[in-house]
Amino acid sequence: MSKEQWRRNVTQLKPYIPGKAIEDVKRDFGLAEITRLASNENPLGPSPKAVSAMLRALLDSQLYPESTCRELREKLASLYEMDQDQFLIGNGADNVISLIGTAYINDGDEIIYCTPTFPAYRTITLLLGGMPIELPLTGNLTFDLDRILDSITDRTKLIFICNPNNPTGTIVEKGRLEAFLQQVPPQVIVVLDEAYVEFIELEGYLTGVDFVKKGYPVIFVRTFSKLYGLAGTRVGYCGASHELLEPILAVREPFAVNRIAAAGATAALDDEEYKITILQENKREMVRLAKELQELGYALSDSHANFLFVDMKEDVVNLSNTLMREGILIRPCIAWGLPNHARITIGTAEQNDRLLTALRKTIKTTS
Ligand SMILES: *Cc1c(COP(=O)(O)O)cnc(C)c1O
């Protein structure tokens, strides 16, 4: 067996390295409890309404799911005042990003985005024989929209904008996105990855929903993994005009989303109160954690998500190994070429305290 048998483009890909699994850390270090602040999961878990809906759905497991997640699309349509045929549901946002790539990228097409960002855009581009055009973020770590505009050529097919950006948590300044969209040539499709968009609190900040309604050639991608606490069940979606969704529908597996996941996501949308609680808790703990980390001497950028991007001023692979022995997981940013940066998910008050205590201990032992 040699790599020559592989599909040629696959030899260029590196497998995604997820945060270390809680089960593995428990076993490797003999720990009973793990605080995972490495994967931007919701520390309070899913809404109880989502859980009961999933339990009910289990009883119908012998039945194939309704292929298009009609009920979920109806709920999304009413929530965002769009049409249900302007939504496509997939097995997580990651799956949706792959589907968008599969539907649109031809050999040699140029796909533009800034880095560091979410790695899925690069993976799907390379797989399909496209050419990733990777530009640096601006000095304040946001997508460099001017430079993206300058990089558009006749071969440009897609532009990915991760907003808020993972791993930096930053957003494009208010008003800038629409000015940008007005300058993008009409044959270029802009994909807004809005996995964390619900955490943005700026009054009047326009998102993919607004841009689709205004008729821009935009596809926005969202997920139930972050705000809604359903990362383990895998539901993501995209919204766009029906014309833009048509080729994506053609490549989507018929039963991409399982019955249990679809039921959970649908019920999660109904629990407005729970959503508000999550947002309030996240905000409160983010402000507190950011302040305490700054007091410990770390440098942070402004986050509009459920995580912080922190310059720890030391090698984070080392530091995260030290923390791991205490049962605390943070995400080193070395895979993005940033050895001193960490991405730290906002946990519960108790989890954040545990992190702060462990960090104070490492500072004491090194000084
Ligand atoms: C987490 C994340 C996703 C993937 O979400 P899933 O629905 O869990 O696949 C996509 N984009 C960004 C920017 C993310 O952080």
Side-chain angles (χ1 to χ4, degrees), residues 124-141:
I124 193 65
T125 301
L126 290 174
L127 176 64
L128 297 168
M131 171 80 85
I133 307 293
E134 299 187 344
L135 307 169
L137 296 174
T138 63
N140 37 5
L141 300 178

Side-chain angles (χ1 to χ4, degrees), residues 36-47:
R36 176 151 76 174
L37 306 176
S39 300
N40 300 343
E41 291 150 335
N42 181 328
L44 299 174
S47 143

Side-chain angles (χ1 to χ4, degrees), residues 149-260:
L149 285 173
D150 286 343
S151 306
I152 295 174
T153 71
D154 291 345
R155 294 180 153 217
T156 305
K157 176 61 70 68
L158 302 176
I159 296 171
F160 280 100
I161 310 239
C162 189
N163 198 50
N165 186 39
N166 179 359
T168 58
T170 46
I171 54 170
V172 171
E173 204 183 312
K174 190 172 156 182
R176 290 293 317 275
L177 259 179
E178 186 163 21
F180 164 81
L181 291 173
Q182 282 165 353
Q183 294 176 75
V184 173
Q187 76 279 8
V188 176
I189 301 161
V190 177
V191 182
L192 296 176
D193 183 341
E194 299 187 327
Y196 303 95
V197 77
E198 297 95 342
F199 293 99
I200 299 178
E201 289 195 329
L202 298 183
E203 191 71 40
Y205 191 86
L206 299 189
T207 68
V209 170
D210 304 293
F211 299 132
V212 169
K213 287 186 196 169
K214 287 176 175 232
Y216 292 105
V218 161
I219 303 173
F220 64 84
V221 178
R222 297 189 179 192
T223 179
F224 284 87
S225 296
K226 310 288 162 56
L227 171 65
Y228 294 101
L230 290 168
T233 56
R234 318 297 306 128
V235 188
Y237 61 97
C238 63
S241 67
H242 186 63
E243 295 73 51
L244 282 177
L245 294 186
E246 224 180 304
I248 312 172
L249 279 165
V251 299
R252 179 186 181 271
E253 296 166 55
F255 304 108
V257 182
N258 72 71
R259 174 175 283 284
I260 296 140

Side-chain angles (χ1 to χ4, degrees), residues 94-135:
D94 245 325
N95 170 236
V96 172
I97 292 165
S98 296
L99 292 174
I100 294 169
T102 310
Y104 282 104
I105 301 174
N106 279 315
D107 247 352
D109 282 351
E110 293 176 353
I111 313 301
I112 312 177
Y113 50 88
C114 292
T115 59
T117 193
F118 195 60
Y121 323 137
R122 178 182 172 83
T123 306
I124 193 65
T125 301
L126 290 174
L127 176 64
L128 297 168
M131 171 80 85
I133 307 293
E134 299 187 344
L135 307 169

